[in-house]
Amino acid sequence: MSSLTSGFKAEIAMLVGSDHVKENDAVSAIDYGVLAENLDAGIVVLPGTTEELAAVVRCCHAHRVAIVTHGGRTGLVGGGISRAGELVVSTARLNRITFLSPVENVAIVEAGVTLQSLQEAAADYGLEPGIDLPSRGSATIGGMASTNAGGIAAFRYGVMRHRILGLEAVLPDGTIYSDLTRVVKNTAGYALSHLFIGGEGTLGIITKIAVKLEPVPASTATVLFGLSSMQAALKRDAARVKGAAWTSARCGSHLVSLLPSDVDPSQLVCNRLQKRPSHQSPALCGRK
């Protein structure tokens, strides 16, 4: 249950509408994501525009109320944990793609747009955001920018810092910083936008992002290499991987992702579940 004053909560409700302030049972109905402690504040506010979010931040600044920003709540490191007396600000209603150009290969999206939504919209033009995550259906672009997410295609296209051309953010005093440039060549002064990327929301709440898009590959192929050990992979067996990559390059293909693993992923899953799935073979989860 929230420990914030009724007066403060009434002010917040006036700013975003009472339907967009969740408390008590309404908070319990929200998916907390990875950690139940994400919703310990007991109150969640969902602004629908950058201006509404800025007004909420100004109100919190005036009342000295701490803010915890939530995107898709897919983070694994506790960045979304909240406490009583704090206010959770969700970007769920900031879910619009405001610009997408197949000429510029750029999209401008609000912070609450999920990665999958951007992928699907860009795919209509034969484009992709150049980043992918298993949690694409719930991870938001704003959260990915705030955490400088990498993903499985970082080997080829870089992390979020390399995908972002510009952004808009609300600063701790409620003012709005906007630099939604859509070009790579931007030599005008300090690159302030990069301070917000990977900043985990400590310098401001990202509200819009200009994302650089890439052409979707004409075809893809997945290769699994079985190497004797990680150490050998760096020495003797590396030649096999290098040879395959060279052959691929000669055919006009490019390596997009590389995911090394020195353990059996299925064994990790079985250990986590502490049971062997009935539909899988004994060899998959180990023999007893």
Side-chain angles (χ1 to χ4, degrees):
M1 180 174 294
S2 169
S3 62
L4 299 173
T5 66
S6 57
F8 169 78
K9 290 187 285 187
E11 285 187 47
I12 293 295
M14 288 181 61
L15 296 174
V16 301
S18 58
D19 290 342
H20 305 304
V21 179
K22 309 298 183 183
E23 289 190 88
N24 305 321
D25 292 342
V27 171
S28 301
I30 297 175
D31 181 4
Y32 57 74
V34 177
L35 299 170
E37 296 94 326
N38 286 341
L39 299 177
D40 277 1
I43 180 171
V44 179
V45 59
L46 298 93
T49 65
T50 297
E51 290 70 27
E52 284 187 0
L53 195 151
V56 169
V57 172
R58 287 194 295 270
C59 182
C60 290
H61 183 265
H63 288 269
R64 302 185 65 81
V65 173
I67 293 173
V68 179
T69 310
H70 280 189
R73 288 181 286 273
T74 60
L76 302 175
V77 297
I81 292 176
S82 65
R83 296 284 181 261
E86 299 174 342
L87 181 70
V88 172
V89 175
S90 170
T91 61
R93 292 179 62 220
L94 299 174
N95 58 3
R96 293 168 286 266
I97 299 174
T98 62
F99 177 87
L100 201 163
S101 170
V103 176
E104 299 180 29
N105 285 9
V106 173
I108 296 180
V109 304
E110 293 183 328
V113 171
T114 65
L115 174 59
Q116 182 173 331
S117 295
L118 177 56
Q119 289 174 326
E120 292 173 351
D124 290 339
Y125 301 95
L127 300 170
E128 62 171 330
I131 191 167
D132 194 20
L133 302 170
S135 56
R136 62 186 68 85
S138 51
T140 62
I141 302 299
M144 292 169 61
S146 293
T147 58
N148 193 27
I152 58 179
F155 185 88
R156 176 69 180 172
Y157 299 119
V159 297
M160 280 299 288
R161 187 177 302 279
H162 305 106
R163 309 307 312 156
I164 295 175
L165 298 171
L167 57 78
E168 174 189 86
V170 175
L171 304 182
D173 64 352
T175 58
I176 299 173
Y177 165 82
S178 183
D179 179 19
L180 287 168
T181 181
R182 305 201 301 265
V183 296
V184 174
K185 186 177 180 181
N186 182 1
T187 60
Y190 298 107
L192 296 179
S193 293
H194 283 268
L195 296 176
F196 297 95
I197 303 171
E200 301 275 356
T202 55
L203 299 180
I205 301 174
I206 296 175
T207 52
K208 288 181 184 176
I209 308 98
V211 182
K212 180 170 58 174
L213 304 176
E214 302 288 344
V216 174
S219 61
T220 60
T222 301
V223 180
L224 176 64
F225 290 98
L227 306 176
S228 57
S229 69
M230 290 297 290
Q231 188 64 26
L234 299 176
K235 296 181 180 178
R236 182 182 67 253
D237 292 341
R240 285 191 285 165
V241 179
K242 184 178 180 181
W246 173 250
T247 301
S248 176
R250 291 183 62 187
C251 295
S253 301
H254 302 282
L255 182 63
V256 173
S257 61
L258 179 65
L259 184 62
S261 176
D262 61 348
V263 294
D264 180 2
S266 62
Q267 188 64 56
L268 290 178
V269 172
C270 292
N271 291 343
R272 178 70 173 177
L273 296 176
Q274 295 183 339
K275 62 181 180 180
R276 182 167 59 206
S278 59
H279 65 280
Q280 294 181 345
S281 67
L284 182 60
C285 292
R287 299 181 182 274
K288 293 186 178 180

